[in-house]
Amino acid sequence: ERQKHIRNFSIVAHIDHGKSTLADRILELTDTVSKREMQDQLLDTMDLERERGITIKLNAVALNYHAKDGETYIFHLIDTPGHVDFSYEVSRSLAACEGAILVVDAAQGVEAQTLANVYLALDNDLAIIPVINKIDLPSAEPEKVRQQIEDEIGLDASDAVLASAKAGIGIEEILEQIVKNVPAPDGKLDVPLKALIFDSIYDDYRGVVLSVRVFEGTVKAGDRIKLMNGGTEYEVTQVGFNSPKPIARDILMAGDVGYITASIKDIQDTQVGDTVTSAAQPTAKALEGYRKMNPMVYSGLYPTDNAKFNDLREALEKLQLNDAALTFEPESSQALGFGFRCGFLGLLHMDVVQERLEREFNLDLITTAPSVTYHVELTDGTKKVVENPAEMPDASEIKAINEPFVKAQIMVPNEYVGPVMELCQRKRGIFETMDYLDDIRVNVIYHIPLSEIIFDFFDKLKSSTRGYASLDYELEDYRPSKLVKIDILLNSDKVDALSFIAHTDFAAQRGRDITAKLKTIIPRQNFEIPIQAAIGSKIIARTNIKAYRKDVTSKIHTGDPDRRAKLLDKQKRGKKRMKSVGVVDIPQEAFMSVLQTG
Ligand code: GTP
């Protein structure tokens, strides 16, 4: 009976179309949080998410809705991130629901991530409720967007809700449509427990907290459960809903989305995507887990203080618990000491991990420039996977280097097709097709090396199309390219952490750009420091950092005390993020200079 009154759904959208704002309105309207507690974007709990205005981690919340039919429903709303780096998290949250609200901006229309997310929802057989948001904007064209949803996605949009999450218009209609159009969960109650772990966090007091969707059976405090992957068993200490604070309940049953705690101390034991079952009566077959996400980008993470290596390891283990896409393994660098080579889904993911490590775990880190993985064929017939440019074998030992290519889909108004193609071409892209979606909008498809996409491609795309283009991409295959490793020498010493891979045609230019850039970043010393770029033993670029005459950092020429304090603070933070290599101090920025050139 209770099952009939449960609705599990997610909200999917292209980034910035208003998903988090809509979630806030829904929470308000259902009195899940009092007005006093209401902070904007309540589901974005991480400080980082709030500051950046983006959703990173999925989050689930239970709410009560008194519908017009007189019944009270329990809604489980599972938030999803919108950025292309995190589509993995989207597919995870969708696996826990029966329905999805599709938010489309009435002024922007359907964009690349709208399509990508809808297809994920359709793959999961979800009921989709289209919502055209931001109808309060003067530039809103809701009827045009309704037509787009029909033509470009192939969804019936005749009942699409016209809404403004900001002004609170259409919210109740959305909730009514959820009651009507999202199917109630089914799943037997009198069978062994079968629950999917879709997220987990580590809490110092409660241990590991599992976020689960129960598909079959029931679970309550005192039950013995088994995690099917590792076979470990625990006694449940508490079950409940997040609302959004944890609220204990007597029992979770098939159809429910909630949490389980069981004094699980060992982080290693829990895996997102694993199935929880009853220890006494285990279910025969585990639920289908998640596709394993492979990192797209790698970089080295090093503590500025070498003594913090073990703290960094512990922090990475804890982060990995609710960020299954993060990978790490120890590595060492002559320049930076001991650290970890970490794998990320993209640059935003990398940024987020670094910031979380620094804030939540109080670490000061140096990150090396991100790199993709290369598949190298050696002259002796063996193959090698290179995740760190410093480990690229000598050119004389290499037969071929294969680099990852993505298939990129760019949606853009036709007046910007020229600049988009120019950009793709410059980034070594190979044109595939171009389709007109309607009179104005074009879908352009290119095959582009991943290494070109992860750097500043998206920024360049936005600036050359005045923000009108949207991008989605997926890894396609590895293709041979003419690539070389470029080493950087400071004071005649090779700094392994600064090595990078470039295309032969651009190598000389990149070498010049980077040495010039480093010259502006590395602080002067009381002696001259040569900076060189080299391919093998051949120097391709050279410049010098002049010796200083007087201490330039001690004087800040500004009368404004506020500004002075800010600058001093920046200097202090900058100093912490500095690594001494031989006699030269290298600031964090230097390791990223590869990203800012080319
Ligand atoms: P991610 O969480 O990063 O995926 O973005 P999102 O889709 O959740 O977008 P968010 O809710 O953060 O909204 C993006 C911007 O659009 C914010 O500045 C909102 O204030 C604004 N916005 C959201 N809904 C409306 C609306 O109905 N009307 C107007 N005018 N602005 C809106």
Side-chain angles (χ1 to χ4, degrees):
E1 186 52 24
R2 192 173 112 202
Q3 259 182 357
K4 283 203 194 100
H5 290 90
I6 300 177
R7 296 291 182 275
N8 297 314
F9 64 97
S10 286
I11 309 179
V12 295
H14 187 79
I15 194 155
D16 276 348
H17 282 196
K19 181 167 30 66
S20 305
T21 313
L22 176 61
D24 289 349
R25 287 298 92 76
I26 292 178
L27 260 53
E28 257 176 25
L29 198 84
T30 52
D31 293 323
T32 304
V33 285
S34 66
K35 273 270 181 318
R36 191 173 45 84
E37 287 173 319
M38 190 69 206
Q39 282 167 286
D40 276 349
Q41 317 240 315
L42 201 94
L43 287 181
D44 291 348
T45 40
M46 264 192 261
D47 285 352
L48 202 61
E49 294 186 336
R50 237 173 255 249
E51 277 167 34
R52 296 195 177 199
I54 52 163
T55 307
I56 298 160
K57 286 294 306 165
L58 55 93
N59 251 307
V61 51
L63 34 101
N64 287 310
Y65 177 58
H66 308 291
K68 289 197 176 134
D69 62 9
E71 309 273 321
T72 299
Y73 293 84
I74 299 173
F75 283 1
H76 292 288
L77 161 57
I78 301 173
D79 198 14
T80 58
H83 191 277
V84 51
D85 273 14
F86 300 106
S87 55
Y88 165 68
E89 303 257 344
V90 176
S91 48
R92 271 168 51 186
S93 44
L94 295 183
C97 325
E98 281 80 28
I101 299 177
L102 171 69
V103 180
V104 184
D105 187 316
Q108 304 290 328
V110 171
E111 297 193 68
Q113 281 292 305
T114 315
L115 281 184
N117 286 330
V118 171
Y119 293 138
L120 287 175
L122 291 172
D123 285 348
N124 281 283
D125 294 324
L126 303 193
I128 296 175
I129 296 175
V131 170
I132 299 170
N133 188 35
K134 307 200 190 182
I135 56 161
D136 59 298
L137 288 176
S139 54
E141 295 183 278
E143 287 315 314
K144 200 175 128 193
V145 171
R146 195 194 293 275
Q147 198 58 45
Q148 269 186 0
I149 296 175
E150 301 230 333
D151 296 347
E152 293 171 25
I153 310 180
L155 280 180
D156 178 2
S158 51
D159 289 334
V161 184
L162 301 185
S164 166
K166 197 168 179 181
I169 302 166
I171 314 300
E172 193 165 5
E173 196 184 335
I174 296 172
L175 298 177
E176 285 296 319
Q177 284 207 11
I178 290 169
V179 170
K180 264 191 241 109
N181 300 341
V182 176
D186 47 19
K188 297 200 183 79
L189 301 179
D190 51 358
V191 293
L193 173 68
K194 205 178 218 183
L196 177 71
I197 306 178
F198 64 86
D199 196 14
S200 61
I201 53 162
Y202 187 83
D203 179 305
D204 281 339
Y205 302 103
R206 300 189 288 167
V208 176
V209 182
L210 304 173
S211 289
V212 297
R213 158 69 201 261
V214 183
F215 282 93
E216 287 176 7
T218 60
V219 58
K220 57 182 188 311
D223 285 355
R224 278 199 75 78
I225 52 165
K226 178 164 144 182
L227 306 183
M228 290 185 78
N229 231 332
T232 48
E233 297 185 5
Y234 301 93
E235 186 176 315
V236 175
T237 48
Q238 197 183 78
V239 298
F241 291 164
N242 289 313
S243 193
K245 293 194 195 81
I247 295 178
R249 313 241 344 165
D250 296 341
I251 192 166
L252 291 183
M253 57 175 71
D256 275 333
V257 173
Y259 67 83
I260 299 177
T261 58
S263 312
I264 305 173
K265 290 288 175 233
D266 201 348
I267 304 171
Q268 251 53 301
D269 290 347
T270 57
Q271 258 174 29
V272 165
D274 197 0
T275 302
V276 186
T277 190
S278 146
Q281 283 181 288
T283 181
K285 201 164 155 270
L287 292 158
E288 195 181 324
Y290 302 112
R291 189 163 53 99
K292 174 105 187 76
M293 274 301 288
N294 292 316
M296 304 266 254
V297 188
Y298 289 82
S299 84
L301 250 55
Y302 292 83
T304 47
D305 174 0
N306 289 334
K308 292 280 166 79
F309 175 77
N310 276 321
D311 294 1
L312 177 56
R313 179 201 302 278
E314 261 174 46
L316 283 166
E317 281 172 356
K318 283 183 181 162
L319 271 194
Q320 196 181 42
L321 184 65
N322 73 354
D323 187 348
L326 168 69
T327 65
F328 59 93
E329 56 187 61
E331 75 168 2
S332 64
S333 149
Q334 278 156 17
L336 300 178
F338 290 98
F340 293 91
R341 174 110 318 220
C342 302
F344 308 97
L345 299 174
L347 284 202
L348 179 63
H349 186 209
M350 173 178 127
D351 253 24
V352 165
V353 169
Q354 180 180 3
E355 268 197 66
R356 287 188 66 188
L357 287 168
E358 297 199 325
R359 287 185 196 202
E360 293 168 30
F361 301 93
N362 223 338
L363 293 162
D364 287 310
L365 302 172
I366 293 276
T367 330
T368 64
S371 161
V372 300
T373 354
Y374 297 94
H375 291 180
V376 183
E377 296 168 36
L378 300 169
T379 45
D380 67 6
T382 58
K383 288 187 179 142
K384 187 177 160 128
V385 175
V386 175
E387 288 169 2
N388 179 353
E391 280 161 17
M392 184 62 78
D394 239 31
S396 61
E397 296 168 28
I398 295 176
K399 199 163 90 199
I401 304 179
N402 299 290
E403 67 175 328
F405 267 69
V406 300
K407 182 171 177 173
Q409 164 176 294
I410 300 162
M411 279 192 191
V412 68
N414 54 7
E415 54 183 307
Y416 297 110
V417 167
V420 166
M421 293 183 70
E422 219 171 278
L423 173 67
C424 291
Q425 226 70 44
R426 196 162 41 154
K427 297 290 185 182
R428 302 192 281 130
I430 299 161
F431 176 75
E432 185 184 298
T433 54
M434 192 168 108
D435 291 322
Y436 271 83
L437 297 166
D438 51 39
D439 302 349
I440 320 169
R441 286 149 42 89
V442 187
N443 193 15
V444 186
I445 296 184
Y446 261 92
H447 307 274
I448 308 178
L450 174 63
S451 66
E452 302 284 354
I453 291 264
I454 56 170
F455 297 157
D456 57 353
F457 185 85
F458 192 50
D459 291 335
K460 289 232 163 76
L461 181 67
K462 275 195 296 196
S463 61
S464 58
T465 62
R466 296 186 40 223
Y468 280 112
S470 64
L471 167 74
D472 189 51
Y473 62 82
E474 59 183 8
L475 191 64
E476 207 175 15
D477 52 11
Y478 278 76
R479 303 184 185 189
S481 291
K482 289 193 294 172
L483 302 168
V484 285
K485 176 172 75 157
I486 300 179
D487 293 315
I488 301 294
L489 291 80
L490 285 182
N491 209 21
S492 307
D493 289 331
K494 183 158 54 168
V495 181
D496 57 359
L498 286 173
S499 297
F500 63 98
I501 310 286
H503 193 268
T504 341
D505 293 351
F506 307 113
Q509 187 60 45
R510 295 290 299 277
R512 282 194 295 275
D513 289 350
I514 283 169
T515 47
K517 179 91 194 176
L518 288 173
K519 180 178 172 173
T520 66
I521 295 174
I522 293 174
R524 292 179 176 198
Q525 312 263 345
N526 54 7
F527 53 92
E528 196 171 74
I529 309 164
I531 310 176
Q532 296 160 308
I535 298 175
S537 58
K538 188 168 143 239
I539 303 294
I540 56 165
R542 178 195 167 107
T543 180
N544 288 319
I545 305 172
K546 295 228 164 53
Y548 62 73
R549 261 169 268 149
K550 57 182 178 201
D551 191 351
V552 283
T553 52
S554 69
K555 287 204 179 63
I556 292 171
H557 299 283
T558 172
D560 178 355
D562 255 13
R563 192 170 137 68
R564 196 184 146 80
K566 266 199 200 120
L567 286 172
L568 277 173
D569 192 49
K570 267 200 185 148
Q571 278 190 4
K572 245 201 314 221
R573 291 221 325 248
K575 270 200 192 126
K576 272 208 293 193
R577 289 265 208 106
M578 189 104 85
K579 198 86 186 180
S580 303
V581 175
V583 290
V584 186
D585 285 338
I586 307 181
Q588 163 71 69
E589 261 185 289
F591 296 98
M592 291 298 144
S593 57
V594 182
L595 292 185
Q596 290 143 15
T597 56

